[in-house]
PDB file of all heavy atoms in Angstrom:
ATOM      1  N   PRO A  54      20.612 -41.538 -11.386  1.00 89.00           N
ATOM      2  CA  PRO A  54      19.720 -40.847 -10.437  1.00 89.00           C
ATOM      3  C   PRO A  54      20.339 -39.619  -9.787  1.00 89.00           C
ATOM      4  O   PRO A  54      19.669 -38.931  -9.026  1.00 89.00           O
ATOM      5  CB  PRO A  54      19.470 -41.931  -9.388  1.00 89.00           C
ATOM      6  CG  PRO A  54      20.754 -42.701  -9.350  1.00 89.00           C
ATOM      7  CD  PRO A  54      21.262 -42.710 -10.770  1.00 89.00           C
ATOM      8  N   HIS A  55      21.612 -39.350 -10.063  1.00 89.00           N
ATOM      9  CA  HIS A  55      22.281 -38.233  -9.402  1.00 89.00           C
ATOM     10  C   HIS A  55      22.406 -37.057 -10.367  1.00 89.00           C
ATOM     11  O   HIS A  55      22.802 -37.241 -11.528  1.00 89.00           O
ATOM     12  CB  HIS A  55      23.664 -38.655  -8.906  1.00 89.00           C
ATOM     13  CG  HIS A  55      23.639 -39.843  -7.992  1.00 89.00           C
ATOM     14  ND1 HIS A  55      23.016 -39.817  -6.765  1.00 89.00           N
ATOM     15  CD2 HIS A  55      24.148 -41.101  -8.145  1.00 89.00           C
ATOM     16  CE1 HIS A  55      23.140 -40.998  -6.186  1.00 89.00           C
ATOM     17  NE2 HIS A  55      23.819 -41.793  -7.000  1.00 89.00           N
ATOM     18  N   PRO A  56      22.083 -35.844  -9.908  1.00 86.00           N
ATOM     19  CA  PRO A  56      22.192 -34.680 -10.790  1.00 86.00           C
ATOM     20  C   PRO A  56      23.642 -34.376 -11.136  1.00 86.00           C
ATOM     21  O   PRO A  56      24.560 -34.690 -10.375  1.00 86.00           O
ATOM     22  CB  PRO A  56      21.572 -33.550  -9.963  1.00 86.00           C
ATOM     23  CG  PRO A  56      21.744 -33.978  -8.546  1.00 86.00           C
ATOM     24  CD  PRO A  56      21.635 -35.471  -8.552  1.00 86.00           C
ATOM     25  N   GLN A  57      23.829 -33.793 -12.296  1.00 85.00           N
ATOM     26  CA  GLN A  57      25.151 -33.370 -12.733  1.00 85.00           C
ATOM     27  C   GLN A  57      25.084 -31.924 -13.201  1.00 85.00           C
ATOM     28  O   GLN A  57      24.007 -31.390 -13.476  1.00 85.00           O
ATOM     29  CB  GLN A  57      25.662 -34.264 -13.868  1.00 85.00           C
ATOM     30  CG  GLN A  57      25.877 -35.710 -13.478  1.00 85.00           C
ATOM     31  CD  GLN A  57      26.347 -36.558 -14.643  1.00 85.00           C
ATOM     32  OE1 GLN A  57      26.663 -36.052 -15.716  1.00 85.00           O
ATOM     33  NE2 GLN A  57      26.393 -37.867 -14.431  1.00 85.00           N
ATOM     34  N   ASP A  58      26.252 -31.317 -13.282  1.00 85.00           N
ATOM     35  CA  ASP A  58      26.334 -29.930 -13.737  1.00 85.00           C
ATOM     36  C   ASP A  58      26.170 -29.903 -15.252  1.00 85.00           C
ATOM     37  O   ASP A  58      27.101 -29.613 -15.999  1.00 85.00           O
ATOM     38  CB  ASP A  58      27.669 -29.317 -13.309  1.00 85.00           C
ATOM     39  CG  ASP A  58      27.768 -27.840 -13.688  1.00 85.00           C
ATOM     40  OD1 ASP A  58      26.734 -27.263 -14.094  1.00 85.00           O
ATOM     41  OD2 ASP A  58      28.871 -27.277 -13.594  1.00 85.00           O
ATOM     42  N   ALA A  59      24.950 -30.240 -15.690  1.00 77.00           N
ATOM     43  CA  ALA A  59      24.670 -30.278 -17.126  1.00 77.00           C
ATOM     44  C   ALA A  59      24.435 -28.889 -17.689  1.00 77.00           C
ATOM     45  O   ALA A  59      24.487 -28.684 -18.904  1.00 77.00           O
ATOM     46  CB  ALA A  59      23.457 -31.166 -17.390  1.00 77.00           C
ATOM     47  N   GLY A  60      24.142 -27.930 -16.807  1.00 81.00           N
ATOM     48  CA  GLY A  60      23.970 -26.561 -17.243  1.00 81.00           C
ATOM     49  C   GLY A  60      22.629 -26.303 -17.900  1.00 81.00           C
ATOM     50  O   GLY A  60      21.829 -27.208 -18.150  1.00 81.00           O
ATOM     51  N   VAL A  61      22.405 -25.031 -18.198  1.00 90.00           N
ATOM     52  CA  VAL A  61      21.154 -24.618 -18.831  1.00 90.00           C
ATOM     53  C   VAL A  61      21.033 -25.218 -20.226  1.00 90.00           C
ATOM     54  O   VAL A  61      19.929 -25.496 -20.705  1.00 90.00           O
ATOM     55  CB  VAL A  61      21.081 -23.077 -18.884  1.00 90.00           C
ATOM     56  CG1 VAL A  61      19.828 -22.617 -19.619  1.00 90.00           C
ATOM     57  CG2 VAL A  61      21.121 -22.493 -17.474  1.00 90.00           C
ATOM     58  N   THR A  62      22.160 -25.451 -20.879  1.00 91.00           N
ATOM     59  CA  THR A  62      22.127 -25.994 -22.238  1.00 91.00           C
ATOM     60  C   THR A  62      21.373 -27.316 -22.291  1.00 91.00           C
ATOM     61  O   THR A  62      20.605 -27.570 -23.228  1.00 91.00           O
ATOM     62  CB  THR A  62      23.559 -26.190 -22.766  1.00 91.00           C
ATOM     63  OG1 THR A  62      24.236 -24.930 -22.752  1.00 91.00           O
ATOM     64  CG2 THR A  62      23.542 -26.735 -24.181  1.00 91.00           C
ATOM     65  N   ALA A  63      21.569 -28.166 -21.286  1.00 91.00           N
ATOM     66  CA  ALA A  63      20.866 -29.449 -21.259  1.00 91.00           C
ATOM     67  C   ALA A  63      19.357 -29.247 -21.141  1.00 91.00           C
ATOM     68  O   ALA A  63      18.569 -29.982 -21.752  1.00 91.00           O
ATOM     69  CB  ALA A  63      21.376 -30.296 -20.099  1.00 91.00           C
ATOM     70  N   LEU A  64      18.938 -28.250 -20.369  1.00 92.00           N
ATOM     71  CA  LEU A  64      17.510 -27.960 -20.252  1.00 92.00           C
ATOM     72  C   LEU A  64      16.941 -27.494 -21.588  1.00 92.00           C
ATOM     73  O   LEU A  64      15.843 -27.900 -21.992  1.00 92.00           O
ATOM     74  CB  LEU A  64      17.276 -26.883 -19.188  1.00 92.00           C
ATOM     75  CG  LEU A  64      17.728 -27.195 -17.761  1.00 92.00           C
ATOM     76  CD1 LEU A  64      17.468 -25.995 -16.865  1.00 92.00           C
ATOM     77  CD2 LEU A  64      17.014 -28.429 -17.223  1.00 92.00           C
ATOM     78  N   LEU A  65      17.691 -26.647 -22.279  1.00 93.00           N
ATOM     79  CA  LEU A  65      17.218 -26.137 -23.568  1.00 93.00           C
ATOM     80  C   LEU A  65      17.122 -27.256 -24.601  1.00 93.00           C
ATOM     81  O   LEU A  65      16.176 -27.294 -25.403  1.00 93.00           O
ATOM     82  CB  LEU A  65      18.144 -25.028 -24.063  1.00 93.00           C
ATOM     83  CG  LEU A  65      18.198 -23.761 -23.202  1.00 93.00           C
ATOM     84  CD1 LEU A  65      19.097 -22.717 -23.843  1.00 93.00           C
ATOM     85  CD2 LEU A  65      16.800 -23.195 -22.984  1.00 93.00           C
ATOM     86  N   GLN A  66      18.078 -28.159 -24.584  1.00 92.00           N
ATOM     87  CA  GLN A  66      18.014 -29.293 -25.512  1.00 92.00           C
ATOM     88  C   GLN A  66      16.785 -30.153 -25.233  1.00 92.00           C
ATOM     89  O   GLN A  66      16.102 -30.607 -26.164  1.00 92.00           O
ATOM     90  CB  GLN A  66      19.291 -30.124 -25.395  1.00 92.00           C
ATOM     91  CG  GLN A  66      20.527 -29.423 -25.927  1.00 92.00           C
ATOM     92  CD  GLN A  66      21.809 -30.173 -25.609  1.00 92.00           C
ATOM     93  OE1 GLN A  66      21.823 -31.080 -24.774  1.00 92.00           O
ATOM     94  NE2 GLN A  66      22.895 -29.797 -26.268  1.00 92.00           N
ATOM     95  N   THR A  67      16.500 -30.365 -23.957  1.00 92.00           N
ATOM     96  CA  THR A  67      15.320 -31.139 -23.582  1.00 92.00           C
ATOM     97  C   THR A  67      14.047 -30.442 -24.042  1.00 92.00           C
ATOM     98  O   THR A  67      13.123 -31.080 -24.574  1.00 92.00           O
ATOM     99  CB  THR A  67      15.286 -31.345 -22.058  1.00 92.00           C
ATOM    100  OG1 THR A  67      16.443 -32.087 -21.658  1.00 92.00           O
ATOM    101  CG2 THR A  67      14.037 -32.091 -21.625  1.00 92.00           C
ATOM    102  N   MET A  68      13.985 -29.134 -23.867  1.00 92.00           N
ATOM    103  CA  MET A  68      12.792 -28.395 -24.264  1.00 92.00           C
ATOM    104  C   MET A  68      12.644 -28.371 -25.782  1.00 92.00           C
ATOM    105  O   MET A  68      11.528 -28.472 -26.302  1.00 92.00           O
ATOM    106  CB  MET A  68      12.844 -26.978 -23.696  1.00 92.00           C
ATOM    107  CG  MET A  68      12.797 -26.947 -22.172  1.00 92.00           C
ATOM    108  SD  MET A  68      12.797 -25.290 -21.464  1.00 92.00           S
ATOM    109  CE  MET A  68      11.087 -24.809 -21.736  1.00 92.00           C
ATOM    110  N   ARG A  69      13.747 -28.255 -26.501  1.00 92.00           N
ATOM    111  CA  ARG A  69      13.657 -28.256 -27.961  1.00 92.00           C
ATOM    112  C   ARG A  69      13.070 -29.575 -28.464  1.00 92.00           C
ATOM    113  O   ARG A  69      12.225 -29.586 -29.367  1.00 92.00           O
ATOM    114  CB  ARG A  69      15.031 -28.016 -28.591  1.00 92.00           C
ATOM    115  CG  ARG A  69      14.972 -27.983 -30.122  1.00 92.00           C
ATOM    116  CD  ARG A  69      16.332 -27.839 -30.742  1.00 92.00           C
ATOM    117  NE  ARG A  69      16.850 -26.494 -30.659  1.00 92.00           N
ATOM    118  CZ  ARG A  69      16.483 -25.497 -31.464  1.00 92.00           C
ATOM    119  NH1 ARG A  69      15.552 -25.693 -32.384  1.00 92.00           N
ATOM    120  NH2 ARG A  69      17.020 -24.312 -31.344  1.00 92.00           N
ATOM    121  N   ARG A  70      13.515 -30.686 -27.878  1.00 89.00           N
ATOM    122  CA  ARG A  70      12.948 -31.976 -28.284  1.00 89.00           C
ATOM    123  C   ARG A  70      11.464 -32.056 -27.934  1.00 89.00           C
ATOM    124  O   ARG A  70      10.664 -32.629 -28.676  1.00 89.00           O
ATOM    125  CB  ARG A  70      13.717 -33.115 -27.614  1.00 89.00           C
ATOM    126  CG  ARG A  70      15.083 -33.389 -28.220  1.00 89.00           C
ATOM    127  CD  ARG A  70      15.665 -34.686 -27.684  1.00 89.00           C
ATOM    128  NE  ARG A  70      16.048 -34.565 -26.292  1.00 89.00           N
ATOM    129  CZ  ARG A  70      17.272 -34.241 -25.879  1.00 89.00           C
ATOM    130  NH1 ARG A  70      18.226 -33.991 -26.761  1.00 89.00           N
ATOM    131  NH2 ARG A  70      17.548 -34.164 -24.593  1.00 89.00           N
ATOM    132  N   SER A  71      11.086 -31.470 -26.801  1.00 87.00           N
ATOM    133  CA  SER A  71       9.700 -31.573 -26.343  1.00 87.00           C
ATOM    134  C   SER A  71       8.743 -30.739 -27.181  1.00 87.00           C
ATOM    135  O   SER A  71       7.553 -31.054 -27.252  1.00 87.00           O
ATOM    136  CB  SER A  71       9.605 -31.142 -24.873  1.00 87.00           C
ATOM    137  OG  SER A  71      10.358 -31.999 -24.042  1.00 87.00           O
ATOM    138  N   VAL A  72       9.227 -29.662 -27.801  1.00 86.00           N
ATOM    139  CA  VAL A  72       8.326 -28.797 -28.575  1.00 86.00           C
ATOM    140  C   VAL A  72       8.207 -29.249 -30.024  1.00 86.00           C
ATOM    141  O   VAL A  72       7.574 -28.574 -30.834  1.00 86.00           O
ATOM    142  CB  VAL A  72       8.787 -27.316 -28.543  1.00 86.00           C
ATOM    143  CG1 VAL A  72       8.801 -26.792 -27.122  1.00 86.00           C
ATOM    144  CG2 VAL A  72      10.138 -27.135 -29.210  1.00 86.00           C
ATOM    145  N   SER A  73       8.789 -30.392 -30.354  1.00 80.00           N
ATOM    146  CA  SER A  73       8.717 -30.867 -31.739  1.00 80.00           C
ATOM    147  C   SER A  73       7.323 -31.370 -32.098  1.00 80.00           C
ATOM    148  O   SER A  73       6.987 -31.500 -33.276  1.00 80.00           O
ATOM    149  CB  SER A  73       9.745 -31.981 -31.964  1.00 80.00           C
ATOM    150  OG  SER A  73       9.487 -33.085 -31.108  1.00 80.00           O
ATOM    151  N   GLN A  74       6.490 -31.644 -31.091  1.00 79.00           N
ATOM    152  CA  GLN A  74       5.139 -32.121 -31.361  1.00 79.00           C
ATOM    153  C   GLN A  74       4.226 -30.956 -31.753  1.00 79.00           C
ATOM    154  O   GLN A  74       4.390 -29.838 -31.268  1.00 79.00           O
ATOM    155  CB  GLN A  74       4.559 -32.803 -30.121  1.00 79.00           C
ATOM    156  CG  GLN A  74       5.374 -33.967 -29.597  1.00 79.00           C
ATOM    157  CD  GLN A  74       4.726 -34.581 -28.377  1.00 79.00           C
ATOM    158  OE1 GLN A  74       3.686 -35.236 -28.477  1.00 79.00           O
ATOM    159  NE2 GLN A  74       5.317 -34.365 -27.208  1.00 79.00           N
ATOM    160  N   PRO A  75       3.246 -31.211 -32.625  1.00 81.00           N
ATOM    161  CA  PRO A  75       2.294 -30.153 -32.988  1.00 81.00           C
ATOM    162  C   PRO A  75       1.502 -29.672 -31.770  1.00 81.00           C
ATOM    163  O   PRO A  75       1.262 -30.432 -30.829  1.00 81.00           O
ATOM    164  CB  PRO A  75       1.372 -30.840 -34.008  1.00 81.00           C
ATOM    165  CG  PRO A  75       2.143 -32.025 -34.495  1.00 81.00           C
ATOM    166  CD  PRO A  75       3.008 -32.463 -33.356  1.00 81.00           C
ATOM    167  N   GLU A  76       1.110 -28.406 -31.797  1.00 85.00           N
ATOM    168  CA  GLU A  76       0.273 -27.786 -30.762  1.00 85.00           C
ATOM    169  C   GLU A  76       0.943 -27.773 -29.387  1.00 85.00           C
ATOM    170  O   GLU A  76       0.276 -27.721 -28.353  1.00 85.00           O
ATOM    171  CB  GLU A  76      -1.090 -28.492 -30.672  1.00 85.00           C
ATOM    172  CG  GLU A  76      -1.877 -28.461 -31.978  1.00 85.00           C
ATOM    173  CD  GLU A  76      -3.199 -29.188 -31.863  1.00 85.00           C
ATOM    174  OE1 GLU A  76      -3.476 -29.760 -30.792  1.00 85.00           O
ATOM    175  OE2 GLU A  76      -3.960 -29.176 -32.848  1.00 85.00           O
ATOM    176  N   THR A  77       2.259 -27.800 -29.388  1.00 89.00           N
ATOM    177  CA  THR A  77       2.986 -27.776 -28.117  1.00 89.00           C
ATOM    178  C   THR A  77       2.880 -26.409 -27.454  1.00 89.00           C
ATOM    179  O   THR A  77       2.878 -25.374 -28.119  1.00 89.00           O
ATOM    180  CB  THR A  77       4.461 -28.136 -28.351  1.00 89.00           C
ATOM    181  OG1 THR A  77       4.571 -29.536 -28.565  1.00 89.00           O
ATOM    182  CG2 THR A  77       5.315 -27.772 -27.146  1.00 89.00           C
ATOM    183  N   GLU A  78       2.800 -26.429 -26.140  1.00 92.00           N
ATOM    184  CA  GLU A  78       2.829 -25.213 -25.330  1.00 92.00           C
ATOM    185  C   GLU A  78       3.950 -25.317 -24.307  1.00 92.00           C
ATOM    186  O   GLU A  78       4.329 -26.414 -23.892  1.00 92.00           O
ATOM    187  CB  GLU A  78       1.500 -25.010 -24.586  1.00 92.00           C
ATOM    188  CG  GLU A  78       0.306 -24.770 -25.483  1.00 92.00           C
ATOM    189  CD  GLU A  78      -0.970 -24.562 -24.672  1.00 92.00           C
ATOM    190  OE1 GLU A  78      -0.909 -24.664 -23.419  1.00 92.00           O
ATOM    191  OE2 GLU A  78      -2.016 -24.310 -25.287  1.00 92.00           O
TER     192      GLU A  78
END
Side-chain angles (χ1 to χ4, degrees):
H55 304 296
Q57 296 179 8
D58 183 10
V61 176
T62 301
L64 300 178
L65 296 183
Q66 291 171 346
T67 298
M68 295 182 78
R69 181 184 284 281
R70 285 191 290 266
S71 297
V72 299
S73 61
Q74 302 180 71
E76 301 179 357
T77 284
E78 295 181 357

